Amino acid sequence: MRVPSSVSSSGGLLDVVLTLEPAWVVINSMELGIFTLNGTLPGPTLRIKAGDRLRVLFRNLLPAQPNARRQHNEFGYVDESNLHFHGLHVPGDLPSDDTKLVVGPGGEFQYETVLPQYHMPGTNWIHPHRHGSSALQVGGAAALALIVDDPPGSLPDEVKWDKRLNFNTPACLLAFGVLIGIAQRSGDSLVWSAPAGNPPDLLVINGEHMPEIAATPGRWQRWRVIFAGWRNVGRSALNFAVDGCTMQLLAKDGMYISDFPRSIQLAPIPAGGRADIMVKCPSPSSRYRVTSGETLIGFVDTSAIPVSSSELSSWSPVLPDYMQDLQATPASEGCSCETEVEEASINGVPFSEDTVLHETFLGAVVERKIDTGGHPYHQHFYPFQLVDGFRSSDFFHLGDWHDTFMSDGLTREPVTVRYKTTFIAGEMMLHCHRLDHEDRGSMAFETISPTGSTCSCSARALDTGNIVIIAVAVSAAVCVVISVLGFCVWRRRSHRRSDVGPE
Ligand SMILES: [Cu+2]
């Protein structure tokens, strides 16, 4: 199997340029126009350490598409983009991970953020997140692995990183038929193409269809599986399995579980989710099937000479402050709210940059009763702990942490989760990771006040400068009101946006 190139931080800094650009690739004998980060599928793997500074100069190399649709909560904006650091515990405002940023065609933006010293090491990823075009661009395969490396000596020998034994495996779903429909609705006339007729959906691993993964029989390998996905596989998660081989779960969504090793038969990874799995195949000179449900997606081919097997010893991670156990800690007063994920709205409200879904404050224990309704729920920068609403399975235990979660029939609804707002305040996005739903409005944000002490569960319009200015200007001439309001809207948007493309 092909392994993406990788770039590691040094001296406390990872400084990279990432370009969003169209590319032509041949997959399964089909020539396809796709989106890429830095021209390859997947983009290069980025490796960073807790405490490091991450600088990403993002360049949108997509050409302008004058016929692109530009209507809020609809597919469109196909030539605009941005980046999301999916899984990082970093602020959600600029120059960090603010997905409201818009980088126009030919434009660029310098992202810069610092991972906290206590950041959980793990498997994360980067993908575009422009509201309206995220399905087309992520579905078109723009993605790369973002690994937060383990401190030296922190892992058992069988688990620790070793280039010979480890794979980063971003699995991208190329759903041609659906994407063609989205491209047409978006007014995209440039990038996406696919075979005529009734094209099949393909799962590609590290850019390859049905790759062959080499393994030594009896030796544990650590697989970092990223479902760099934008929708379900059929009607479910990526149900990742290696038939005939032993799988022990190590981490989910870039966070180590506390009861490693946990034997699993299947890793049901929702779109956007990740699973780190220890895999061991028993027999020499054998071929094993890598599957998602009934679908064959690759092979493991073992070499002729086995090595002696050993059992994995139990191991627990040091948990960072934002992952302290909250199973026995009740929510702060008024901070338990319901969140219902719908196809084009959250709690019945389509996405608006001016509507707050819920409000919390720094230091709160926040509880959410989430009705996912079969949608993969994703929350930015604060992962959440599963505390109730379960039939536990081998993959899902009470007390586990996720940043992307879909019940997939394994749990009751609603699922109760908790998280504590430790140090990062501001606006936190949450959304359906079926990105065709997100683009049409299945997204919202909560605000975390740095100074407040109360929560609110009621959606409300954000207090904006516009309203204040209108009130101040109400006694003046109407034309003044209109011009000031226009100025405020312009100011507000220019504060959030970076439309720095050519005139
Ligand atoms: Cu959805």
Side-chain angles (χ1 to χ4, degrees):
M1 181 174 64
R2 181 191 309 160
V3 176
S5 62
S6 75
V7 188
S8 298
S9 63
S10 90
L13 175 67
L14 180 61
D15 195 358
V16 293
V17 177
L18 292 180
T19 57
L20 176 66
E21 52 192 291
W24 287 94
V25 295
V26 176
I27 297 173
N28 199 25
S29 305
M30 294 180 286
E31 190 174 26
L32 302 169
I34 62 165
F35 293 98
T36 66
L37 292 174
N38 286 18
T40 59
L41 169 62
T45 296
L46 305 185
R47 307 189 70 100
I48 194 166
K49 299 181 186 68
D52 282 354
R53 181 175 298 271
L54 174 64
R55 280 171 53 86
V56 177
L57 178 59
F58 173 62
R59 289 198 170 123
N60 177 1
L61 300 187
L62 300 179
Q65 294 206 57
N67 294 327
R69 192 173 183 183
R70 299 183 202 276
Q71 183 180 339
H72 182 57
N73 286 335
E74 253 301 346
F75 299 122
Y77 307 100
V78 294
D79 50 7
E80 299 177 353
S81 193
N82 60 23
L83 292 178
H84 171 45
F85 308 141
H86 189 133
L88 287 195
H89 181 64
V90 295
D93 48 10
L94 296 177
S96 185
D97 187 9
D98 184 352
T99 54
K100 288 188 290 193
L101 175 76
V102 175
V103 180
E108 63 182 38
F109 182 77
Q110 179 69 65
Y111 286 98
E112 183 158 349
T113 196
V114 178
L115 276 65
Q117 290 287 350
Y118 47 82
H119 199 289
M120 175 59 97
T123 304
N124 302 302
W125 64 300
I126 292 181
H127 62 83
H129 204 309
R130 166 62 168 125
H131 186 61
S133 58
S134 64
L136 192 70
Q137 292 176 2
V138 180
L144 58 79
L146 173 63
I147 312 289
V148 181
D149 276 319
D150 298 280
S154 63
L155 289 176
D157 282 350
E158 306 93 329
V159 177
K160 71 183 180 189
W161 174 257
D162 178 332
K163 282 193 174 133
R164 293 168 304 152
L165 310 181
N166 289 258
F167 296 106
N168 306 317
T169 55
C172 296
L173 174 67
L174 300 175
F176 303 113
V178 182
L179 267 181
I180 291 168
I182 291 174
Q184 288 170 345
R185 274 178 68 173
S186 304
D188 176 65
S189 56
L190 180 74
V191 178
W192 189 262
S193 65
N198 194 14
D201 290 355
L202 291 183
L203 275 161
V204 296
I205 302 177
N206 282 2
E208 288 186 70
H209 182 238
M210 303 274 194
E212 296 162 354
I213 300 167
T216 303
R219 175 174 285 164
W220 290 107
Q221 293 183 325
R222 175 178 179 173
W223 289 22
R224 298 176 183 265
V225 184
I226 302 167
F227 185 21
W230 64 287
R231 68 193 309 269
N232 289 341
V233 184
R235 299 183 65 84
S236 62
L238 172 71
N239 285 318
F240 191 87
V242 189
D243 297 345
C245 301
T246 305
M247 300 204 300
Q248 301 280 357
L249 185 64
L250 175 64
K252 292 188 287 185
D253 291 356
M255 295 167 283
Y256 288 113
I257 59 173
S258 292
D259 59 350
F260 173 79
R262 186 191 300 176
S263 180
I264 59 171
Q265 304 295 317
L266 183 75
I269 308 170
R274 290 83 72 209
D276 285 37
I277 309 166
M278 300 301 295
V279 178
K280 184 173 74 173
C281 297
S283 302
S285 305
S286 299
R287 167 160 277 201
Y288 296 91
R289 291 157 45 94
V290 182
T291 57
S292 172
E294 301 294 308
T295 308
L296 178 66
I297 59 175
F299 302 96
V300 176
D301 289 334
T302 54
S303 56
I305 301 176
V307 297
S308 59
S309 285
S310 62
E311 294 305 314
L312 295 169
S313 46
S314 60
W315 174 81
S316 303
V318 175
L319 294 175
D321 64 340
Y322 60 91
M323 286 178 60
Q324 294 301 308
D325 188 5
L326 300 171
Q327 292 179 87
T329 308
S332 303
E333 187 179 350
C335 299
S336 177
C337 309
E338 294 175 2
T339 304
E340 185 173 2
V341 187
E342 294 135 337
E343 191 167 324
S345 59
I346 304 285
N347 287 3
V349 181
F351 176 65
S352 164
E353 290 193 7
D354 297 326
T355 303
V356 183
L357 180 70
H358 301 134
E359 293 166 88
T360 68
F361 58 93
L362 275 190
V365 174
V366 181
E367 183 174 88
R368 297 286 175 258
K369 293 182 166 66
I370 304 174
D371 191 342
T372 69
H375 301 267
Y377 173 85
H378 172 51
Q379 197 167 283
H380 289 196
F381 69 77
Y382 277 112
F384 46 84
Q385 187 178 31
L386 310 178
V387 300
D388 196 15
F390 274 81
R391 295 190 306 265
S392 279
S393 66
D394 54 6
F395 191 76
F396 295 109
H397 284 192
L398 285 178
D400 286 352
W401 290 81
H402 284 255
D403 66 28
T404 310
F405 179 78
M406 183 169 73
S407 64
D408 209 14
L410 293 166
T411 60
R412 304 190 307 269
E413 299 278 3
V415 172
T416 304
V417 307
R418 288 188 195 131
Y419 61 95
K420 185 169 182 181
T421 48
T422 48
F423 289 106
I424 304 178
E427 294 181 354
M428 183 189 76
M429 286 290 173
L430 53 97
H431 62 90
C432 178
H433 217 286
R434 284 184 64 173
L435 298 177
D436 47 338
H437 294 176
E438 187 249 277
D439 282 339
R440 288 184 295 132
S442 186
M443 180 158 78
F445 64 90
E446 306 186 351
T447 54
I448 303 155
S449 164
T451 55
S453 58
T454 57
C455 286
S456 169
C457 293
S458 309
R460 69 166 182 87
L462 201 62
D463 289 333
T464 64
N466 305 354
I467 294 165
V468 175
I469 297 291
I470 292 167
V472 167
V474 94
S475 61
V478 171
C479 62
V480 175
V481 176
I482 293 169
S483 61
V484 171
L485 177 60
F487 175 70
C488 288
V489 170
W490 174 82
R491 260 184 63 103
R492 201 156 166 277
R493 296 221 173 268
S494 64
H495 184 67
R496 285 180 173 168
R497 296 163 65 115
S498 177
D499 288 309
V500 286
E503 296 298 314

